[in-house]
Coordinates of all heavy atoms in Angstrom, one line a residue:
K13 N -9.1 -16.6 -3.2 CA -8.7 -17.6 -4.1 C -7.2 -17.3 -4.5 O -6.8 -16.1 -4.6 CB -9.5 -17.5 -5.4 CG -10.9 -17.9 -5.1 CD -11.7 -17.9 -6.4 CE -13.1 -18.3 -6.2 NZ -13.9 -18.3 -7.4
G14 N -6.5 -18.3 -4.7 CA -5.1 -18.1 -5.2 C -4.1 -18.0 -4.1 O -4.4 -18.1 -2.9
N15 N -2.9 -17.8 -4.5 CA -1.8 -17.7 -3.5 C -1.3 -16.2 -3.4 O -1.3 -15.5 -4.4 CB -0.6 -18.5 -4.0 CG -0.9 -20.0 -4.0 OD1 -1.6 -20.5 -3.1 ND2 -0.4 -20.7 -5.0
Y16 N -1.0 -15.8 -2.2 CA -0.6 -14.5 -2.0 C 0.8 -14.5 -1.2 O 1.0 -15.3 -0.4 CB -1.6 -13.7 -1.1 CG -2.9 -13.6 -1.8 CD1 -3.9 -14.5 -1.6 CD2 -3.2 -12.6 -2.7 CE1 -5.1 -14.4 -2.2 CE2 -4.4 -12.5 -3.4 CZ -5.4 -13.4 -3.1 OH -6.5 -13.3 -3.8
K17 N 1.6 -13.5 -1.5 CA 2.9 -13.4 -0.8 C 2.9 -11.9 -0.4 O 2.9 -11.0 -1.2 CB 4.0 -13.7 -1.8 CG 5.4 -13.7 -1.1 CD 6.4 -14.0 -2.2 CE 7.7 -14.3 -1.5 NZ 8.7 -14.7 -2.5
V18 N 2.9 -11.8 0.9 CA 2.9 -10.4 1.5 C 4.4 -10.1 1.9 O 5.1 -10.9 2.5 CB 2.1 -10.4 2.8 CG1 2.2 -9.0 3.5 CG2 0.6 -10.7 2.5
I19 N 4.8 -9.0 1.3 CA 6.2 -8.5 1.6 C 6.1 -7.2 2.4 O 5.5 -6.2 1.9 CB 7.0 -8.3 0.3 CG1 7.0 -9.6 -0.5 CG2 8.4 -7.9 0.6 CD1 7.6 -9.5 -1.9
E20 N 6.7 -7.2 3.5 CA 6.7 -6.0 4.4 C 7.5 -4.9 3.8 O 8.5 -5.1 3.1 CB 7.2 -6.3 5.8 CG 6.2 -7.2 6.5 CD 6.7 -7.5 7.9 OE1 7.3 -6.5 8.5 OE2 6.5 -8.6 8.4
R21 N 7.2 -3.7 4.1 CA 7.9 -2.5 3.6 C 9.4 -2.6 3.9 O 10.2 -2.2 3.1 CB 7.3 -1.2 4.1 CG 8.0 0.0 3.5 CD 7.3 1.3 4.0 NE 6.0 1.4 3.5 CZ 5.7 2.0 2.3 NH1 6.7 2.3 1.5 NH2 4.5 2.1 1.9
K22 N 9.7 -3.1 5.1 CA 11.1 -3.2 5.5 C 11.9 -4.1 4.5 O 13.0 -3.9 4.1 CB 11.3 -3.6 6.9 CG 10.9 -2.6 7.9 CD 11.1 -3.1 9.3 CE 10.6 -2.1 10.4 NZ 10.7 -2.6 11.7
A23 N 11.2 -5.2 4.2 CA 11.8 -6.2 3.3 C 12.0 -5.6 1.9 O 13.0 -5.9 1.2 CB 11.0 -7.5 3.3
I24 N 11.0 -4.9 1.5 CA 11.1 -4.2 0.2 C 12.2 -3.3 0.1 O 13.0 -3.3 -0.8 CB 9.8 -3.5 -0.2 CG1 8.6 -4.5 -0.4 CG2 9.9 -2.6 -1.4 CD1 7.3 -3.9 -0.6
G25 N 12.4 -2.5 1.2 CA 13.5 -1.6 1.3 C 14.9 -2.3 1.2 O 15.8 -1.8 0.6
T26 N 14.9 -3.4 1.9 CA 16.2 -4.2 1.8 C 16.4 -4.7 0.4 O 17.5 -4.6 -0.1 CB 16.1 -5.4 2.8 OG1 15.9 -4.9 4.1 CG2 17.4 -6.2 2.8
I27 N 15.4 -5.2 -0.2 CA 15.5 -5.8 -1.5 C 15.9 -4.7 -2.5 O 16.7 -4.9 -3.4 CB 14.2 -6.4 -2.0 CG1 13.9 -7.7 -1.1 CG2 14.2 -6.8 -3.5 CD1 12.5 -8.2 -1.3
L28 N 15.3 -3.6 -2.4 CA 15.5 -2.5 -3.4 C 16.7 -1.6 -3.1 O 17.2 -0.9 -4.0 CB 14.3 -1.6 -3.5 CG 13.0 -2.3 -4.0 CD1 11.9 -1.4 -4.1 CD2 13.3 -2.9 -5.4
G29 N 17.3 -1.8 -1.9 CA 18.5 -1.0 -1.6 C 18.3 0.5 -1.8 O 17.5 1.1 -1.2
D30 N 19.1 1.1 -2.6 CA 19.2 2.5 -2.8 C 18.3 3.1 -3.8 O 18.4 4.2 -4.2 CB 20.6 2.9 -3.1 CG 21.6 2.7 -2.0 OD1 21.1 2.8 -0.8 OD2 22.8 2.5 -2.2
L31 N 17.2 2.3 -4.2 CA 16.3 2.9 -5.3 C 15.4 4.0 -4.7 O 14.8 4.7 -5.5 CB 15.5 1.7 -5.9 CG 16.3 0.8 -6.7 CD1 15.3 -0.3 -7.3 CD2 16.9 1.5 -7.9
K32 N 15.3 4.1 -3.4 CA 14.5 5.2 -2.8 C 13.1 5.3 -3.4 O 12.7 6.3 -3.8 CB 15.2 6.5 -3.0 CG 16.7 6.5 -2.6 CD 16.9 6.7 -1.2 CE 18.4 6.8 -0.8 NZ 18.7 6.5 0.5
M33 N 12.4 4.2 -3.4 CA 11.1 4.1 -4.0 C 10.0 4.5 -3.0 O 8.8 4.6 -3.4 CB 10.8 2.7 -4.5 CG 11.7 2.4 -5.6 SD 11.5 3.5 -7.0 CE 10.8 2.4 -8.2
D34 N 10.2 4.7 -1.7 CA 9.2 4.8 -0.7 C 8.3 6.0 -1.1 O 7.0 5.8 -1.1 CB 9.8 5.0 0.7 CG 8.8 5.2 1.7 OD1 7.9 4.3 1.8 OD2 8.8 6.1 2.5
I35 N 8.8 7.2 -1.3 CA 8.0 8.3 -1.6 C 7.3 8.1 -3.0 O 6.1 8.4 -3.1 CB 8.8 9.6 -1.6 CG1 9.3 9.9 -0.2 CG2 8.0 10.8 -2.2 CD1 10.3 11.0 -0.1
A36 N 8.0 7.6 -4.0 CA 7.4 7.4 -5.3 C 6.2 6.4 -5.2 O 5.2 6.6 -5.9 CB 8.5 6.9 -6.2
L37 N 6.3 5.4 -4.4 CA 5.3 4.4 -4.3 C 4.0 5.0 -3.9 O 2.9 4.6 -4.3 CB 5.6 3.3 -3.4 CG 6.4 2.1 -4.0 CD1 6.9 1.2 -2.8 CD2 5.6 1.4 -5.0
R38 N 4.0 6.0 -3.0 CA 2.8 6.6 -2.5 C 2.1 7.5 -3.5 O 1.0 7.8 -3.4 CB 3.2 7.5 -1.3 CG 3.7 6.6 -0.1 CD 4.0 7.5 1.1 NE 4.8 6.7 2.0 CZ 5.3 7.2 3.1 NH1 5.0 8.4 3.5 NH2 6.1 6.5 3.9
K39 N 2.9 8.0 -4.5 CA 2.3 9.0 -5.4 C 2.3 8.5 -6.9 O 1.7 9.2 -7.7 CB 3.2 10.3 -5.3 CG 3.1 10.9 -3.9 CD 3.9 12.1 -3.9 CE 3.8 12.7 -2.5 NZ 4.6 13.9 -2.3
D40 N 3.0 7.5 -7.2 CA 3.3 7.2 -8.6 C 2.9 5.7 -8.9 O 3.6 4.8 -8.5 CB 4.7 7.5 -8.9 CG 5.1 7.3 -10.4 OD1 4.2 7.0 -11.2 OD2 6.2 7.5 -10.7
V41 N 1.9 5.5 -9.7 CA 1.5 4.1 -10.1 C 2.6 3.5 -10.9 O 2.9 2.3 -10.7 CB 0.2 4.1 -10.9 CG1 -0.1 2.7 -11.5 CG2 -0.9 4.5 -10.0
N42 N 3.3 4.2 -11.7 CA 4.5 3.7 -12.5 C 5.6 3.2 -11.6 O 6.2 2.1 -11.9 CB 5.0 4.7 -13.5 CG 4.1 5.0 -14.6 OD1 3.3 4.2 -15.0 ND2 4.0 6.3 -15.0
A43 N 5.8 3.8 -10.5 CA 6.8 3.3 -9.5 C 6.3 2.0 -8.9 O 7.1 1.1 -8.7 CB 7.1 4.4 -8.4
A44 N 5.1 1.9 -8.6 CA 4.5 0.7 -8.0 C 4.7 -0.4 -9.0 O 5.0 -1.6 -8.7 CB 3.1 0.9 -7.6
M45 N 4.4 -0.1 -10.3 CA 4.6 -1.2 -11.4 C 6.0 -1.6 -11.4 O 6.3 -2.8 -11.5 CB 4.2 -0.6 -12.7 CG 2.7 -0.4 -12.8 SD 2.2 0.5 -14.3 CE 3.0 -0.4 -15.6
R46 N 7.0 -0.7 -11.4 CA 8.4 -1.1 -11.4 C 8.8 -2.0 -10.3 O 9.5 -3.0 -10.4 CB 9.3 0.2 -11.5 CG 9.2 0.9 -12.8 CD 10.3 2.0 -12.9 NE 10.4 2.9 -11.8 CZ 9.7 4.1 -11.8 NH1 8.9 4.4 -12.8 NH2 9.8 4.9 -10.8
V47 N 8.4 -1.6 -9.1 CA 8.7 -2.4 -7.9 C 8.0 -3.7 -8.0 O 8.6 -4.8 -7.7 CB 8.2 -1.6 -6.6 CG1 8.3 -2.6 -5.4 CG2 9.0 -0.4 -6.4
G48 N 6.8 -3.8 -8.5 CA 6.1 -5.1 -8.6 C 6.8 -6.0 -9.6 O 7.0 -7.2 -9.3
K49 N 7.3 -5.4 -10.7 CA 8.1 -6.3 -11.6 C 9.4 -6.8 -11.0 O 9.8 -7.9 -11.2 CB 8.4 -5.5 -12.9 CG 7.1 -5.3 -13.7 CD 7.4 -4.4 -14.9 CE 6.1 -4.2 -15.7 NZ 6.2 -3.3 -16.8
I50 N 10.1 -5.9 -10.3 CA 11.3 -6.3 -9.6 C 11.1 -7.4 -8.6 O 11.8 -8.4 -8.5 CB 12.0 -5.1 -8.9 CG1 12.5 -4.1 -9.9 CG2 13.1 -5.5 -7.9 CD1 12.9 -2.7 -9.3
L51 N 9.9 -7.3 -7.9 CA 9.6 -8.3 -6.9 C 8.9 -9.6 -7.4 O 8.7 -10.5 -6.7 CB 8.8 -7.7 -5.8 CG 9.4 -6.6 -5.0 CD1 8.4 -6.0 -4.0 CD2 10.6 -7.1 -4.2
G52 N 8.6 -9.5 -8.7 CA 7.9 -10.6 -9.3 C 6.4 -10.7 -8.9 O 5.8 -11.8 -9.0
A53 N 5.8 -9.6 -8.6 CA 4.4 -9.5 -8.1 C 3.5 -9.3 -9.3 O 3.8 -8.7 -10.3 CB 4.2 -8.4 -7.2
N54 N 2.3 -9.9 -9.2 CA 1.3 -9.7 -10.2 C 0.5 -8.4 -9.8 O 0.0 -7.7 -10.7 CB 0.3 -10.9 -10.3 CG 1.0 -12.1 -10.8 OD1 1.9 -12.0 -11.7 ND2 0.7 -13.2 -10.3
M55 N 0.2 -8.3 -8.5 CA -0.6 -7.2 -8.0 C 0.2 -6.5 -6.9 O 1.0 -7.2 -6.2 CB -1.9 -7.6 -7.5 CG -2.8 -8.3 -8.5 SD -3.6 -7.1 -9.5 CE -4.5 -8.3 -10.6
M56 N 0.0 -5.2 -6.7 CA 0.6 -4.5 -5.6 C -0.5 -3.7 -4.9 O -1.5 -3.2 -5.5 CB 1.5 -3.4 -6.1 CG 2.8 -3.9 -6.9 SD 4.0 -4.6 -5.7 CE 4.5 -3.1 -4.9
V57 N -0.4 -3.7 -3.6 CA -1.4 -2.9 -2.7 C -0.6 -1.7 -2.2 O 0.4 -1.9 -1.6 CB -1.9 -3.7 -1.5 CG1 -2.8 -2.9 -0.7 CG2 -2.7 -5.0 -2.0
I58 N -1.0 -0.6 -2.6 CA -0.4 0.7 -2.1 C -1.4 1.5 -1.4 O -2.6 1.4 -1.7 CB 0.3 1.5 -3.3 CG1 -0.8 1.9 -4.3 CG2 1.4 0.7 -3.9 CD1 -0.2 2.8 -5.4
G59 N -1.0 2.3 -0.5 CA -1.9 3.1 0.3 C -1.3 3.8 1.4 O -0.1 3.9 1.5
S60 N -2.1 4.4 2.3 CA -1.6 5.2 3.4 C -2.6 5.1 4.5 O -3.8 4.9 4.4 CB -1.4 6.6 2.9 OG -2.6 7.2 2.6
V61 N -2.0 5.4 5.7 CA -2.8 5.6 6.9 C -2.3 7.0 7.5 O -1.1 7.2 7.6 CB -2.5 4.5 8.0 CG1 -3.3 4.8 9.3 CG2 -2.9 3.2 7.4
S62 N -3.3 7.8 7.7 CA -2.9 9.1 8.3 C -3.9 9.5 9.4 O -4.9 8.9 9.6 CB -2.9 10.2 7.2 OG -4.2 10.2 6.6
K63 N -3.4 10.5 10.2 CA -4.2 11.0 11.3 C -4.3 12.5 11.2 O -3.3 13.2 11.1 CB -3.6 10.6 12.6 CG -4.4 11.0 13.8 CD -3.8 10.6 15.1 CE -4.6 11.1 16.3 NZ -3.9 10.9 17.6
I64 N -5.5 13.0 11.2 CA -5.7 14.4 11.2 C -6.6 14.7 12.4 O -7.7 14.2 12.5 CB -6.4 14.9 9.9 CG1 -5.6 14.5 8.7 CG2 -6.7 16.4 10.0 CD1 -6.2 14.8 7.4
E65 N -6.0 15.4 13.3 CA -6.5 15.7 14.6 C -6.9 14.4 15.3 O -5.9 13.6 15.6 CB -7.7 16.7 14.5 CG -7.3 18.0 14.1 CD -8.4 19.1 14.1 OE1 -9.5 18.8 14.6 OE2 -8.1 20.2 13.5
K66 N -8.1 14.1 15.6 CA -8.4 12.8 16.3 C -9.0 11.8 15.4 O -9.6 10.8 15.8 CB -9.4 13.1 17.4 CG -8.8 14.0 18.5 CD -9.8 14.2 19.6 CE -9.1 15.1 20.7 NZ -9.9 15.2 21.9
Q67 N -8.9 12.0 14.0 CA -9.5 11.0 13.1 C -8.4 10.3 12.3 O -7.5 11.0 11.8 CB -10.5 11.8 12.2 CG -11.4 10.9 11.4 CD -12.5 10.4 12.2 OE1 -12.7 10.7 13.3 NE2 -13.3 9.5 11.6
Y68 N -8.6 9.0 12.1 CA -7.6 8.2 11.3 C -8.3 8.0 9.9 O -9.5 7.7 9.8 CB -7.4 6.9 12.0 CG -6.5 7.0 13.2 CD1 -7.0 7.3 14.4 CD2 -5.1 6.8 13.1 CE1 -6.2 7.4 15.6 CE2 -4.3 6.9 14.2 CZ -4.9 7.2 15.4 OH -4.1 7.3 16.5
Y69 N -7.4 8.0 8.9 CA -7.9 7.7 7.5 C -7.0 6.7 6.9 O -5.8 6.7 7.0 CB -7.8 9.0 6.7 CG -8.7 10.1 7.3 CD1 -8.2 11.0 8.2 CD2 -10.0 10.2 6.9 CE1 -9.0 12.0 8.7 CE2 -10.8 11.2 7.4 CZ -10.3 12.1 8.3 OH -11.1 13.1 8.8
L70 N -7.6 5.7 6.2 CA -6.9 4.6 5.5 C -7.4 4.6 4.1 O -8.6 4.7 3.8 CB -7.3 3.3 6.2 CG -6.9 2.0 5.4 CD1 -5.4 1.8 5.5 CD2 -7.6 0.8 6.0
S71 N -6.5 4.6 3.2 CA -6.8 4.4 1.8 C -5.9 3.4 1.2 O -4.7 3.3 1.5 CB -6.7 5.7 1.0 OG -5.4 6.2 1.0
A72 N -6.4 2.6 0.2 CA -5.6 1.6 -0.4 C -6.1 1.3 -1.8 O -7.3 1.5 -2.1 CB -5.7 0.3 0.4
Q73 N -5.2 0.9 -2.7 CA -5.5 0.6 -4.1 C -4.8 -0.7 -4.4 O -3.6 -0.9 -3.9 CB -5.0 1.7 -5.0 CG -5.5 3.0 -4.8 CD -4.9 4.0 -5.8 OE1 -3.8 3.8 -6.3 NE2 -5.6 5.1 -6.0
I74 N -5.4 -1.6 -5.2 CA -4.8 -2.7 -5.7 C -4.5 -2.4 -7.2 O -5.4 -2.1 -7.9 CB -5.7 -4.0 -5.6 CG1 -6.0 -4.3 -4.1 CG2 -5.0 -5.2 -6.3 CD1 -7.0 -5.4 -3.9
I75 N -3.2 -2.5 -7.5 CA -2.7 -2.1 -8.8 C -2.1 -3.4 -9.5 O -1.4 -4.1 -8.9 CB -1.6 -1.1 -8.7 CG1 -2.0 0.1 -7.9 CG2 -1.0 -0.7 -10.1 CD1 -3.1 1.0 -8.5
D76 N -2.5 -3.6 -10.8 CA -1.9 -4.6 -11.6 C -0.5 -4.2 -11.9 O -0.3 -3.2 -12.5 CB -2.7 -4.8 -12.9 CG -2.3 -5.9 -13.8 OD1 -1.1 -6.0 -14.1 OD2 -3.1 -6.7 -14.1
A77 N 0.4 -5.0 -11.5 CA 1.9 -4.7 -11.6 C 2.3 -4.7 -13.1 O 3.3 -4.1 -13.4 CB 2.7 -5.6 -10.8
E78 N 1.6 -5.4 -14.0 CA 2.0 -5.4 -15.4 C 1.4 -4.2 -16.2 O 2.1 -3.6 -17.0 CB 1.4 -6.7 -16.0 CG 2.2 -7.9 -15.5 CD 3.6 -8.0 -16.0 OE1 3.9 -7.6 -17.2 OE2 4.5 -8.4 -15.2
T79 N 0.2 -3.9 -15.9 CA -0.5 -2.8 -16.7 C -0.7 -1.5 -16.0 O -1.0 -0.5 -16.6 CB -1.9 -3.3 -17.1 OG1 -2.7 -3.4 -15.9 CG2 -1.9 -4.6 -17.9
G80 N -0.6 -1.5 -14.7 CA -0.8 -0.3 -13.9 C -2.3 0.0 -13.7 O -2.7 1.0 -13.0
E81 N -3.2 -0.9 -14.2 CA -4.6 -0.8 -14.0 C -5.0 -0.9 -12.5 O -4.5 -1.8 -11.8 CB -5.3 -1.8 -14.8 CG -6.8 -1.8 -14.7 CD -7.5 -3.0 -15.5 OE1 -6.8 -3.7 -16.2 OE2 -8.7 -3.1 -15.3
M82 N -5.8 0.0 -12.0 CA -6.3 -0.1 -10.7 C -7.5 -1.1 -10.7 O -8.5 -1.0 -11.4 CB -6.9 1.2 -10.2 CG -7.3 1.2 -8.7 SD -7.9 2.7 -8.0 CE -8.3 3.8 -9.3
R83 N -7.3 -2.2 -9.9 CA -8.2 -3.3 -9.9 C -9.3 -3.1 -8.8 O -10.4 -3.5 -8.9 CB -7.5 -4.6 -9.6 CG -6.6 -5.1 -10.7 CD -7.4 -5.3 -12.0 NE -6.6 -5.7 -13.1 CZ -6.5 -7.0 -13.6 NH1 -7.3 -7.9 -13.1 NH2 -5.7 -7.2 -14.6
A84 N -8.9 -2.4 -7.7 CA -9.8 -2.1 -6.6 C -9.2 -0.9 -5.8 O -8.0 -0.7 -5.8 CB -10.0 -3.3 -5.7
A85 N -10.1 -0.2 -5.1 CA -9.7 0.9 -4.2 C -10.7 1.0 -3.1 O -11.9 0.6 -3.3 CB -9.6 2.2 -5.0
G86 N -10.2 1.5 -2.0 CA -11.1 1.7 -0.9 C -10.5 2.6 0.1 O -9.4 2.9 0.1
S87 N -11.4 3.2 0.9 CA -11.0 4.0 2.0 C -11.9 3.9 3.2 O -13.0 3.4 3.1 CB -11.0 5.5 1.5 OG -12.3 5.9 1.2
E88 N -11.3 4.2 4.3 CA -12.1 4.1 5.6 C -11.6 5.1 6.5 O -10.4 5.6 6.5 CB -11.8 2.7 6.2 CG -12.7 2.3 7.3 CD -14.2 2.1 6.9 OE1 -14.4 1.5 5.9 OE2 -15.0 2.6 7.7
D89 N -12.4 5.6 7.4 CA -12.0 6.5 8.5 C -12.6 6.0 9.8 O -13.6 5.3 9.8 CB -12.3 7.9 8.2 CG -13.8 8.2 8.1 OD1 -14.4 8.0 7.0 OD2 -14.4 8.5 9.1
A90 N -11.9 6.3 10.9 CA -12.4 5.9 12.2 C -11.8 6.9 13.3 O -10.8 7.5 13.0 CB -11.9 4.5 12.5
S91 N -12.4 6.8 14.4 CA -11.9 7.7 15.5 C -10.7 7.1 16.3 O -10.1 7.8 17.1 CB -13.1 8.0 16.5 OG -13.6 6.8 17.0
S92 N -10.4 5.8 16.0 CA -9.2 5.2 16.6 C -8.6 4.2 15.6 O -9.3 3.7 14.8 CB -9.6 4.5 17.9 OG -10.2 3.3 17.7
F93 N -7.3 4.0 15.8 CA -6.6 3.0 14.9 C -7.2 1.6 15.1 O -7.3 0.9 14.2 CB -5.1 3.1 15.2 CG -4.3 2.3 14.2 CD1 -4.1 2.8 13.0 CD2 -3.8 1.0 14.6 CE1 -3.4 2.1 12.0 CE2 -3.1 0.3 13.6 CZ -2.9 0.8 12.4
K94 N -7.6 1.3 16.3 CA -8.2 0.0 16.6 C -9.4 -0.2 15.8 O -9.7 -1.3 15.3 CB -8.4 -0.2 18.1 CG -7.2 -0.5 18.9 CD -7.5 -0.7 20.3 CE -6.3 -1.0 21.1 NZ -6.6 -1.2 22.6
K95 N -10.2 0.8 15.7 CA -11.5 0.7 14.9 C -11.2 0.5 13.4 O -12.0 -0.1 12.7 CB -12.3 2.0 15.1 CG -13.0 2.0 16.5 CD -13.9 3.2 16.6 CE -14.5 3.2 18.0 NZ -15.3 4.4 18.3
L96 N -10.1 1.0 12.9 CA -9.7 0.7 11.5 C -9.5 -0.8 11.3 O -9.7 -1.4 10.3 CB -8.4 1.4 11.1 CG -8.6 2.9 10.7 CD1 -7.3 3.5 10.4 CD2 -9.6 3.1 9.6
N97 N -9.0 -1.5 12.4 CA -8.8 -2.9 12.4 C -10.0 -3.7 12.6 O -10.0 -4.9 12.8 CB -7.7 -3.3 13.4 CG -6.3 -2.9 12.9 OD1 -6.0 -2.9 11.8 ND2 -5.5 -2.5 13.9
G98 N -11.1 -3.0 12.8 CA -12.4 -3.7 13.1 C -12.6 -4.0 14.6 O -13.5 -4.8 14.9
K99 N -11.7 -3.5 15.4 CA -11.9 -3.7 16.9 C -12.6 -2.6 17.5 O -12.5 -1.4 17.0 CB -10.5 -3.9 17.5 CG -9.7 -5.1 16.9 CD -8.3 -5.1 17.5 CE -7.5 -6.3 16.9 NZ -6.2 -6.3 17.4
K100 N -13.3 -2.8 18.6 CA -14.0 -1.8 19.3 C -13.2 -1.1 20.3 O -12.2 -1.6 20.8 CB -15.2 -2.4 20.0 CG -16.2 -2.9 18.9 CD -17.5 -3.4 19.6 CE -18.5 -3.9 18.6 NZ -19.7 -4.3 19.1

């Protein structure tokens, strides 16, 4: 339901210029809130994909850009990146 605007990380980097928020976004909900406000977002999805040995791990959180409240969170692991996308 509703309208969504997806902004790629590259575009965010261009928009924010020298604010150097990439590392902060991964670790700091307050940084995600600041970026969300700058971009005019209501919600932000932050997360990571990592690989340890032969296993891939995905984690994501939906953060309210106004309050910092975590609205949803999830994680998944798979033996291949394609399986994270739901492909066999």
Side-chain angles (χ1 to χ4, degrees):
K13 295 180 178 179
N15 296 320
Y16 298 94
K17 186 177 194 180
V18 176
I19 302 173
E20 293 182 35
R21 183 176 292 277
K22 288 180 184 178
I24 291 172
T26 300
I27 292 167
L28 297 177
D30 291 331
L31 289 179
K32 310 279 186 200
M33 296 297 247
D34 183 51
I35 294 171
L37 274 173
R38 296 179 196 180
K39 298 181 179 179
D40 183 3
V41 170
N42 290 325
M45 289 172 52
R46 288 193 306 270
V47 170
K49 288 177 184 177
I50 290 168
L51 297 174
N54 295 321
M55 300 283 179
M56 295 284 292
V57 177
I58 59 174
S60 64
V61 177
S62 56
K63 181 180 179 188
I64 300 174
E65 294 186 9
K66 294 183 179 187
Q67 195 74 8
Y68 288 86
Y69 299 91
L70 167 74
S71 65
Q73 298 176 338
I74 299 175
I75 306 293
D76 185 307
E78 291 293 318
T79 66
E81 178 183 351
M82 183 177 20
R83 297 295 181 109
S87 62
E88 191 68 44
D89 62 271
S91 59
S92 74
F93 189 74
K94 286 183 180 180
K95 288 183 180 179
L96 282 177
N97 287 324
K99 299 176 183 176
K100 294 183 178 184

